[in-house]
Amino acid sequence: MPSTVEAETRPADSRASTDDGGGCRWRPSMTTGRSPRNWLLIAVVVALCTTAVGTGVVAGLDAQGRPNLSPYVSDNEVTPGSETTIEVDISNDGTFIDGNEADRSAVTTARDVVVKLRAPNSPISVNTNAVALGEITEAGSPKTAAFDVTVPKGVDPGTTDFRVTLDYSYTSKAQNVDSGVPITINQEQIDTETETVPIRVTDDARFEVTELDSNLRVGEEGEITGQLENIGRDDARNAEVSFAPDSETVVALESNVAVGDIEAGETAPFSIPVEVTSEAEAVPKRFDLPVTFRDTNGIRQSDDDPEFRVDIGSQRDAFLIEPVDSSIEAGGSRALDIEVTNNLDEPVSDIEGKLFADDPLDSSNDETFTTELDPGETTTVTVDLSAASGATIKNYPASMDFRYTDADGDSKLTDSYRLAVSVTEPTDDGGGLPVVPLLLVVLVVAGGAFLWRRKGGEIGDFGGLRDN
């Protein structure tokens, strides 16, 4: 049964190998203080190699070499006052020293690769400690280690070297020998490499959102307004903000809004029209606001960092309604006056109202029309209302809705607004004679009696008509 013997030495150096004269190379340790067990292991390897000379190397694994790792940062620019990610690509351009070309991957592959990134003598902070990448081969694509970094606002522009440390293991020599029993000999190495990569702190224009304000509400159109401040050291020309929320309930009515030129340290106002659908939640929302601009050389640049948060207000009624007097006698009818107030932040026009009333209430004229209402303005509309004579004395529900045209010319229909109508007892006349006619009769009788008494009380002289 084949056996495998591994000899571990550190550090690795492909040029420090020793040939025993029979074609079996091995690498002695450069580390002092090795334990007796390790020395014994190396002695066994040497003995096996010596034995292999007598019997010959069997066909199969035969390679000597090492990996050659190189770090590279393709996007090496960072901006002051930002939190960003630096991605370090690690490639492997292995070195094959001797053996069968077909076996080169056995000695050029780096295993257990761990990458560290540090910024010595720099105010930039690297927040990621280490990134494990596992195995990196010659034939495979480079692997990427991502590091989160914080760049303070006051960092001076320029280029600084970041230190990249690579820890890994590999097999420097792999060979099959046969000394009666087939044996595979592997010489394992552990290595640490340190290289530098340049990181550039730019002085480009960059932006922050300040003085933010919004009037967004569920079910309404509104605006997000604010100031765009250039906190970089270069001027920006033809700046434009892009608002493309990843939401089905918050819709940008204009996705790209021109802001104009913004010199370093200056601000410029922006305003973005937005619609919030009725399905939205009344919660705070965070949005990105990327900025594109041209730098001082006329080259198109972008800053994807600006962001802001707004509060979405709860849904509100477009109109407030209040009956002037909502009582009606059972069996009676009357004109019902209703005060209507525009509760929106914009003028509305062509306001058509309609009253809905169920039995025992009814209306022979249930529609109203108002030409226009400014925000907060109130008008009084009138509808007819009647109550059946047999209606129970209590409150009954009625409702009213409105179709109107908003400031953008869009026709909208409100929800129904409920109001209570109080049916009261009819006025009781007692079933007697009418009061006014009765008083007239009393006055006539009294006057006649007065004249009769004055003439002596004779019936024939009633009313002064007696003949002399």
Side-chain angles (χ1 to χ4, degrees):
M1 181 176 182
S3 301
T4 299
V5 178
E6 296 183 354
E8 179 181 314
T9 63
R10 76 171 72 199
D13 187 348
S14 60
R15 295 169 298 180
S17 61
T18 301
D19 195 321
D20 64 1
C24 185
R25 295 182 176 85
W26 62 284
R27 180 174 288 105
S29 172
M30 302 300 292
T31 305
T32 59
R34 185 175 296 280
S35 67
R37 178 180 177 276
N38 289 341
W39 284 115
L40 178 60
L41 179 60
I42 295 173
V44 171
V45 173
V46 173
L48 290 172
C49 286
T50 304
T51 304
V53 172
T55 59
V57 177
V58 297
L61 185 64
D62 181 18
Q64 183 178 359
R66 61 162 300 140
N68 183 21
L69 301 183
S70 300
Y72 180 75
V73 178
S74 56
D75 183 7
N76 69 335
E77 291 188 348
V78 296
T79 57
S82 67
E83 293 184 357
T84 187
T85 300
I86 295 177
E87 294 185 343
V88 182
D89 297 327
I90 309 297
S91 62
N92 182 4
D93 182 17
T95 301
F96 186 70
I97 298 173
D98 194 12
N100 296 327
E101 181 68 25
D103 299 330
R104 68 179 294 149
S105 64
V107 292
T108 59
T109 297
R111 302 186 302 273
D112 305 321
V113 179
V114 176
V115 187
K116 296 178 181 178
L117 182 68
R118 296 293 180 267
N121 304 319
S122 172
I124 300 175
S125 301
V126 180
N127 305 319
T128 305
N129 183 31
V131 178
L133 297 182
E135 185 177 275
I136 302 179
T137 65
E138 268 191 303
S141 300
K143 289 192 174 181
T144 301
F147 295 88
D148 294 332
V149 300
T150 300
V151 188
K153 286 186 177 181
V155 176
D156 292 331
T159 301
T160 183
D161 287 335
F162 277 42
R163 186 173 62 219
V164 179
T165 302
L166 303 169
D167 294 321
Y168 60 96
S169 63
Y170 68 99
T171 301
S172 62
K173 182 174 182 179
Q175 191 175 52
N176 288 339
V177 298
D178 189 358
S179 57
V181 177
I183 298 174
T184 300
I185 300 175
N186 292 333
Q187 292 184 6
E188 299 299 322
Q189 311 289 340
I190 298 176
D191 204 354
T192 297
E193 297 182 11
T194 300
E195 298 195 30
T196 60
V197 292
I199 300 298
R200 178 175 173 263
V201 180
T202 69
D203 55 359
D204 299 337
R206 60 189 190 279
F207 303 91
E208 282 187 355
V209 177
T210 62
E211 301 180 28
L212 186 73
D213 191 19
S214 78
N215 58 356
L216 302 187
R217 281 184 176 273
V218 174
E220 295 184 24
E221 294 180 4
E223 281 187 325
I224 299 172
T225 60
Q227 297 285 329
L228 190 65
E229 181 179 2
N230 181 357
I231 60 174
R233 303 191 181 191
D234 283 351
D235 297 340
R237 294 190 297 107
N238 299 330
E240 183 179 81
V241 296
S242 299
F243 184 68
D246 185 16
S247 171
E248 295 181 354
T249 58
V250 179
V251 181
L253 300 179
E254 289 290 343
S255 298
N256 299 296
V257 176
V259 179
D261 298 344
I262 311 177
E263 296 181 359
E266 299 298 322
T267 63
F270 67 89
S271 177
I272 304 172
V274 178
E275 180 181 7
V276 183
T277 69
S278 57
E279 291 78 21
E281 297 286 340
V283 296
K285 293 276 191 179
R286 190 199 67 82
F287 300 105
D288 294 326
L289 193 70
V291 182
T292 58
F293 61 97
R294 293 194 181 276
D295 62 18
T296 52
N297 297 318
I299 299 174
R300 174 65 66 183
Q301 304 284 357
S302 64
D303 182 5
D304 296 333
D305 289 336
E307 62 179 11
F308 60 89
R309 196 190 89 154
V310 296
D311 293 328
I312 306 295
S314 58
Q315 192 166 14
R316 62 180 172 181
D317 294 331
F319 299 96
L320 303 177
I321 65 172
E322 183 67 31
V324 176
D325 180 6
S326 61
S327 63
I328 186 172
E329 294 181 0
S333 62
R334 54 162 296 194
L336 176 64
D337 293 333
I338 302 173
E339 293 181 345
V340 180
T341 301
N342 179 5
N343 195 39
L344 301 176
D345 295 330
E346 62 181 30
V348 294
S349 60
D350 300 333
I351 308 156
E352 302 173 12
K354 184 174 178 61
L355 178 72
F356 298 90
D358 295 327
D359 188 62
L361 302 178
D362 195 9
S363 177
S364 59
N365 180 16
D366 56 9
E367 295 182 351
T368 68
F369 180 80
T370 303
T371 303
E372 186 176 13
L373 282 177
D374 289 330
E377 184 180 0
T378 300
T379 189
T380 301
V381 298
T382 303
V383 294
D384 291 339
L385 184 66
S386 61
S389 58
T392 302
I393 308 306
K394 66 173 186 178
N395 290 335
Y396 290 89
S399 63
M400 196 169 189
D401 65 22
F402 299 88
R403 182 175 294 278
Y404 66 97
T405 302
D406 65 12
D408 295 327
D410 297 327
S411 178
K412 295 189 174 181
L413 179 66
T414 69
D415 293 331
S416 294
Y417 304 121
R418 293 171 65 86
L419 61 150
V421 176
S422 177
V423 175
T424 61
E425 292 279 1
T427 302
D428 187 5
D429 58 11
L433 295 174
V435 175
V436 173
L438 183 60
L439 288 175
L440 291 175
V441 171
V442 170
L443 289 175
V444 170
V445 172
F450 172 75
L451 293 174
W452 176 68
R453 289 176 61 87
R454 184 177 179 187
K455 296 296 183 176
E458 296 181 8
I459 297 205
D461 194 29
F462 182 76
L465 299 177
R466 189 177 59 132
D467 295 334
N468 291 324

